[in-house]
Amino acid sequence: MAAQSEVLASSISHRLNSTMAKLQDVWDVVGIQENKRLERMESVKMHIERLLDQMIHEEELMKEQLEEEIKKWQRELQTLCSELHLDPYKAESSTPLQLEKELRQEVEALIQERNGRMEECAMLLKEDQALCTDLCKTPYYIPTGKVPSLQELEELKNHLLNAAKEKECRLATFLGLRHMITKLMADIDHVPDTTFEKDAVLEQEDLFFLSDGNIKSLEMLHHQLEMKKQELMATQETLKKEIGSLWSTLQIPLEQQNMCTTGSLHQVNTVLQQELEQLQQMKTKKISQIVTGIRQQLHTYWDKCFYSQKQKEEFPFLLDENFTEEVLKMHDEELVKITLYYEQHKELFDDVEKWECWWKLFLELEKKASDPNRYANRGGALLREAKEHGQLSKKLPKLEEKLKLYIEKWECEQGCPFLVHGQNFVTYIANRWEQHRLKKEQERCLKKEDRIVCKPPLKRPLGASNTPHSKIRKRDFASKSNHGSGQLNSTTLHHP
């Protein structure tokens, strides 16, 4: 480049010299005097100097402008780097022209990046505003006009992503709750009456604000409706039980026992309540029959619970013939009480009943074993009865031991003795065994007496004796020993 500029400078100098030589030739031909030539040459010099000065001025002005441009680009570049949160730019060019171009291009690139960030930020903020409005949350904050940093843009994107996921989750929760609430309202015949209930059920889903408070309010509404449904269902079950009990009490035929089950819970309960009221009116007219029926049920349960007559008579309304609502109520309560008592301790009562059955069978087998005509039985019945008797002899003590432990636990829990027919059950069992033992002892004594009474007398001729003389003496000795009086037994008289 330096060689070309020197050649060009030499060419300019040659051209100037050639031009001046031509001017001299023209002046020589024309005959221009020396002084005039000097004037003309001064004029040429002045024109050349003006042109060169003008060129120098323009070039110096261009240099100054270039320097100003460089400073301007540097200032803008510094501002842009600050706005974009970039490190200060370090130029690589060495000459002003190259530096200006480099700085200008960098500024243009950063302006483009700034505009891109601002546009992206504006779009993201608009989306965030819409999501946060639906969720009733505070939008991500970036000051208006501020160029967001890359980190801020990334945080904004993450914020949007989380908000979108949260909206999706809340929307799914809302739709699920809305479906369940709508179904519950239909089940319990509930009409939305508050603004919130109408918004939640009747409005379009995109018009409902999915705020955390609204979701919690929906959950609370669902819980309240669920509790109301449970209450209605519990009421329905109670109504059904009362109706079933009255059907049984009033002895309503099965073909007439039609219970309403169609419609909403509220509608079904209304019909059931009407049915119950009708049955209660019927019951009022048939109190006497109902009380008599309940008394029969009471006796059945009392017998199952092994009540004694004294325990039964502790119920003060048992013999009351004044059939009033109060008497019926007392009978109902007593029946519920004894039924519950029996159901709670059914296993214990079943074992006591089992003992009673085994005991009766045991006594029956004992009786058969003592029957003198039992040998007339054929077909292996004696063997079966003996085997069964042996099994019962083993099973009864085991069952008694089990019952003893069970009753001890029961009495500890209940704080009162367990009675069977008014007696402590352990004492009751002991008494039954003792009665059995005494009865067997009495039977043995009776049999022994019968054998003595029924023994046939000795046969001998009148006035004679068949007893040998030695035996007569032995018996006589025994008689003397037993009586201690020396008198002879009648069998020793006049041995022949």
Side-chain angles (χ1 to χ4, degrees), residues 162-177:
N162 293 332
K165 289 181 179 178
E166 186 173 357
K167 180 181 178 180
E168 183 180 356
C169 180
R170 288 191 185 181
L171 181 60
T173 302
F174 163 70
L175 293 176
L177 287 170

Side-chain angles (χ1 to χ4, degrees), residues 135-232:
L135 298 173
C136 295
K137 295 181 66 176
T138 303
Y140 189 88
Y141 177 70
I142 293 179
T144 304
K146 178 181 179 295
V147 180
S149 65
L150 293 175
Q151 181 180 356
E152 287 175 328
L153 283 176
E154 189 64 28
E155 290 176 356
L156 178 55
K157 290 177 182 178
N158 290 333
H159 177 79
L160 269 173
L161 183 61
N162 293 332
K165 289 181 179 178
E166 186 173 357
K167 180 181 178 180
E168 183 180 356
C169 180
R170 288 191 185 181
L171 181 60
T173 302
F174 163 70
L175 293 176
L177 287 170
R178 182 181 189 177
H179 174 73
M180 291 187 289
I181 287 171
T182 303
K183 187 175 184 304
L184 283 171
M185 286 183 173
D187 289 343
I188 65 177
D189 208 13
H190 176 82
V191 179
D193 52 0
T194 65
T195 304
F196 179 77
E197 290 180 4
K198 293 177 181 178
D199 290 343
V201 176
L202 304 178
E203 292 292 343
Q204 297 180 3
E205 61 187 57
D206 55 345
L207 298 179
F208 186 81
F209 289 108
L210 301 172
S211 65
D212 188 55
N214 282 349
I215 295 297
K216 289 182 179 179
S217 297
L218 275 178
E219 291 173 346
M220 180 62 69
L221 175 60
H222 174 261
H223 177 71
Q224 292 171 350
L225 293 174
E226 185 66 36
M227 292 299 295
K228 190 172 181 180
K229 180 180 179 180
Q230 294 298 326
E231 291 174 2
L232 288 173

Side-chain angles (χ1 to χ4, degrees), residues 355 358-359 395-407 425-426 429-430 433:
W355 187 89
W358 286 0
W359 178 255
K395 286 165 40 173
L396 276 170
K398 290 181 180 179
L399 181 57
E400 290 166 8
E401 188 64 27
K402 176 186 175 183
L403 283 168
K404 182 179 178 182
L405 295 175
Y406 202 146
I407 290 170
F425 186 63
V426 176
I429 291 177
W433 278 107

Side-chain angles (χ1 to χ4, degrees), residues 90-133:
K90 295 180 180 180
E92 298 178 355
S93 302
S94 56
T95 62
L97 278 173
Q98 293 175 338
L99 180 60
E100 188 273 339
K101 181 180 179 182
E102 180 182 347
L103 294 175
R104 176 166 40 80
Q105 290 176 344
E106 185 64 24
V107 166
E108 290 173 354
L110 292 181
I111 289 175
Q112 187 176 1
E113 181 176 350
R114 181 185 66 181
N115 293 338
R117 287 194 193 180
M118 293 294 287
E119 290 175 1
E120 183 181 10
C121 181
M123 180 184 67
L124 293 175
L125 286 175
K126 185 177 180 180
E127 293 179 12
D128 184 57
Q129 181 65 48
L131 283 172
C132 290
T133 299

